[in-house]
Amino acid sequence: METPERVAGVRLRPTVTPIAAGTYRVEHDGRVAIVYVAGPPEDRWAFWDGHVYHDDPPGDGRVDSGPRASAEPLLTAPMPATVVKVLVAAGSPVRRGDALVVLEAMKMELAVRAPRDGVVTAVHCREGDLVQPERVLIEIA
């Protein structure tokens, strides 16, 4: 039987089950994922499948900002976090995808990766730093 939630036996809306504070089990199309959410209702951050998502301010017209990726030479913190490890120094050559900084947020580690090949020109963070979203961590030329 087709319902607003099902068409041809496929569930259209995911089933979301709270597991713990800020932790949710999401089931959709036979797949299960764990999603971590942090922040107050007006400034939500979510971590899912290795990507960070952020609610944009109302009136923007977008639901979320999607996975953070950039071709710009400035690498910024995607969410409030603590710097766990800095893996490069100024002058280090990097290749696209190399982990440059490891952050910890919501009890999960997140690697900030090089968006392209280049050379690190500046490092603006140290292990133990508390960083806010959009804070510049690494510059690449």
Side-chain angles (χ1 to χ4, degrees), residues 4-47:
E5 282 86 30
R6 287 187 178 273
V7 173
V10 175
R11 180 177 287 279
L12 298 177
R13 295 183 185 166
T15 301
V16 179
T17 308
I19 297 173
T23 307
Y24 300 87
R25 175 188 165 108
V26 179
E27 295 180 60
H28 191 258
D29 289 340
R31 297 184 345 210
V32 176
I34 302 299
V35 178
Y36 301 90
V37 179
E42 66 277 2
D43 190 27
R44 291 277 189 211
W45 293 85
F47 180 77

Side-chain angles (χ1 to χ4, degrees), residues 106-130:
M106 299 181 291
K107 299 182 182 177
M108 298 287 297
E109 288 192 354
L110 171 70
V112 175
R113 299 184 179 278
R116 60 183 173 82
D117 294 352
V119 175
V120 174
T121 56
V123 176
H124 298 286
C125 61
R126 294 183 310 213
E127 292 179 11
D129 282 357
L130 298 175

